[in-house]
Amino acid sequence: MNQDQLKRQAAEKVVEFLPSGGVLGVGTGSTVNHFIDVLADVKGRFDGAVSSSEASTERLKAIGMQVLDLNSVGELEVYVDGADESNHQLELIKGGGGALTREKIIAAASKQFVCIADASKLVSCLGEFPLPVEVIPMARSYVARELVKLGGNPVLREDFITDNGNVILDVHGLEIMEPIKMETEINNIVGVVTVGLFASRGADVLILGDEAGARVITP
Ligand code: 5RP
């Protein structure tokens, strides 16, 4: 199976983890795109979805799912999203698609975060995937210097502006031994909007598309 088929497998398995109704949280990325396709068959039982990006909103609307403002709904039962890396504690690196801020907000507002990915995303130590950091544009250079002090090599994502009007620094060369500590340190740099480390609120369940079938992992 290729990587895309493994993503599809994880997206199909997640149906077993969906509530019987209510409003769903929906993330962003190619794995989530598969999930939205799968959702087309069961969408009737949900009141709608809260979306983490303009791209997912468009896809949700295309399958006829109502997209709701997070401010108009209460706590979400389940949030489904992908990841760029996960360790065995289900601490994640996210933001490869640049939607990390809205993703983090929805994850925080959800009772359960179910992460879907192909098996290549499971790692023993986070950091091989460059860590995305969303930054207010005027703070870009300052934040970059602070990230260098933390041992990283920040690179501005070219020709990319987030849905919130900000830029992304992708931080290479980090070996993230203490994800919660690093998440806090980077969050505390003035000018940082969001760091793509999802450690203090990681996933509750990880569904991995694997050659042997979909694997369900809990911390
Ligand atoms: C977007 C994300 C995605 O979940 C992450 O990049 C994984 O993407 P894909 O499913 O395409 O591998 O965090 O901001």
Side-chain angles (χ1 to χ4, degrees):
M1 269 193 256
N2 63 31
Q3 198 181 21
D4 200 53
Q5 289 166 322
L6 296 175
K7 289 178 180 190
R8 179 76 187 199
Q9 193 187 58
E12 285 173 358
K13 180 77 176 170
V14 82
V15 173
E16 295 170 25
F17 292 81
L18 298 182
S20 54
V23 178
L24 287 178
V26 177
T28 299
S30 56
T31 318
V32 166
N33 289 346
H34 282 297
F35 170 60
I36 295 173
D37 292 344
V38 169
L39 206 49
D41 292 333
V42 292
K43 64 172 193 284
R45 70 184 212 227
F46 299 105
D47 299 326
V50 171
S51 166
S52 69
S53 65
E54 302 301 329
S56 289
T57 295
E58 243 180 67
R59 281 184 172 259
L60 286 162
K61 286 182 176 166
I63 64 155
M65 191 104 174
Q66 197 185 359
V67 177
L68 302 164
D69 181 348
L70 181 63
N71 294 303
S72 68
V73 299
E75 191 177 36
L76 303 173
E77 285 297 323
V78 174
Y79 175 49
V80 178
D81 199 359
D84 299 301
E85 278 184 354
S86 173
N87 64 17
H88 292 267
Q89 289 71 48
L90 309 197
E91 296 165 320
L92 312 172
I93 286 185
K94 290 186 46 55
L100 60 163
T101 296
R102 296 186 191 189
E103 291 173 342
K104 206 174 250 200
I105 293 167
I106 302 177
S110 301
K111 281 190 199 156
Q112 197 181 38
F113 177 3
V114 182
C115 183
I116 51 176
D118 66 89
S120 70
K121 305 288 182 73
L122 187 63
V123 298
S124 49
C125 179
L126 298 172
E128 197 172 312
F129 189 92
L131 177 65
V133 182
E134 181 167 352
V135 177
I136 299 283
M138 76 167 284
R140 186 192 72 212
S141 301
Y142 167 73
V143 171
R145 290 194 296 277
E146 293 300 302
L147 290 169
V148 168
K149 287 182 198 163
L150 293 178
N153 172 26
V155 176
L156 179 67
R157 197 177 293 185
E158 292 291 339
D159 301 322
F160 188 86
I161 297 291
T162 69
D163 286 347
N164 313 306
N166 299 312
V167 296
I168 300 256
L169 294 172
D170 290 305
V171 190
H172 296 247
L174 293 172
E175 205 173 302
I176 305 172
M177 308 301 282
E178 296 176 282
I180 293 178
K181 183 165 175 259
M182 181 154 285
E183 182 178 13
T184 307
E185 280 174 347
I186 296 178
N187 269 336
N188 283 343
I189 300 173
V190 174
V192 167
V193 178
T194 306
V195 54
L197 260 176
F198 286 51
S200 51
R201 202 286 181 251
D204 301 300
V205 178
L206 173 63
I207 301 176
L208 284 181
D210 205 347
E211 290 295 340
R215 261 197 292 158
V216 177
I217 298 175
T218 48

